[in-house]
């Protein structure tokens, strides 16, 4: 639905809300599917932000719209054929993408330059 609507929805964690409000057209967002390697989890796509985030106010066009706080207009840049998982030894930072697993669970987060480079490298 996100792809068809060209929208990315953020949940209500304070950090996700803050990050959503700071996004600008041209920013890149990497899309992560939760669930682990056995369920096809991992990096699945990257999108470009095409407009400022707007409050969802129960207008999110998918199930449970009230769970979303912001809607971000996006355009798909690259969608992977298969997800690229990561491993999190000791429930810590990922080995491949260098992101704390709890950051992935909380929704939209700003990446360190080191993590952004690791995500970008996955598309080449």
């Amino acid at each position: 639905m996100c792809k068809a609507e060209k929208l990315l929805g953020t949940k209500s964690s304070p950090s996700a809300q803050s990050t959503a409000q700071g996004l600008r057209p041209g920013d890149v967002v990497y899309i992560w599917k939760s669930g682990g390697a056995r369920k096809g989890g991992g990096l699945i796509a990257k999108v470009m932000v095409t407009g400022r985030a707007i409050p969802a106010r129960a207008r999110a066009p998918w199930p449970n719209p009230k769970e979303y706080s912001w809607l971000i207009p996006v355009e798909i840049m690259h969608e992977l054929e298969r997800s690229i998982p990561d491993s999190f030894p000791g429930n810590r930072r990922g080995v491949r993408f260098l992101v704390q697993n709890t950051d992935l669970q909380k929704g939209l987060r700003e990446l360190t330059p080191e993590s952004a480079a690791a995500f970008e490298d996955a598309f080449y």
Side-chain angles (χ1 to χ4, degrees):
M1 290 185 83
C2 293
K3 186 167 40 172
E5 298 289 337
K6 295 187 178 185
L7 288 172
L8 178 64
T10 65
K11 298 277 184 148
S12 60
S13 77
S15 61
Q17 290 184 44
S18 175
T19 302
Q21 292 173 61
L23 288 172
R24 302 290 181 265
D27 286 346
V28 174
V29 176
Y30 298 94
I31 308 298
W32 186 269
K33 179 182 176 188
S34 62
R38 69 185 177 284
K39 298 180 184 178
L43 178 65
I44 60 170
K46 70 177 176 175
V47 300
M48 181 177 292
V49 175
T50 60
R52 299 289 304 262
I54 57 172
R57 294 194 181 103
R59 295 181 306 175
W62 39 72
N64 304 318
K66 292 182 181 181
E67 291 182 10
Y68 296 86
S69 57
W70 292 90
L71 299 176
I72 303 158
V74 296
E75 189 69 46
I76 294 176
M77 296 173 71
H78 192 117
E79 188 172 9
L80 297 169
E81 284 187 34
R82 289 189 189 133
S83 63
I84 302 174
D86 203 345
S87 60
F88 303 91
N91 215 19
R92 296 190 179 168
R93 234 167 76 134
V95 173
R96 181 174 187 149
F97 297 113
L98 312 171
V99 175
Q100 176 66 33
N101 66 341
T102 54
D103 284 347
L104 294 168
Q105 296 164 1
K106 293 178 183 173
L108 198 59
R109 301 289 278 229
E110 188 169 349
L111 296 173
T112 64
E114 181 183 42
S115 290
F119 275 102
E120 192 59 32
D121 287 348
F123 290 95
Y124 299 100

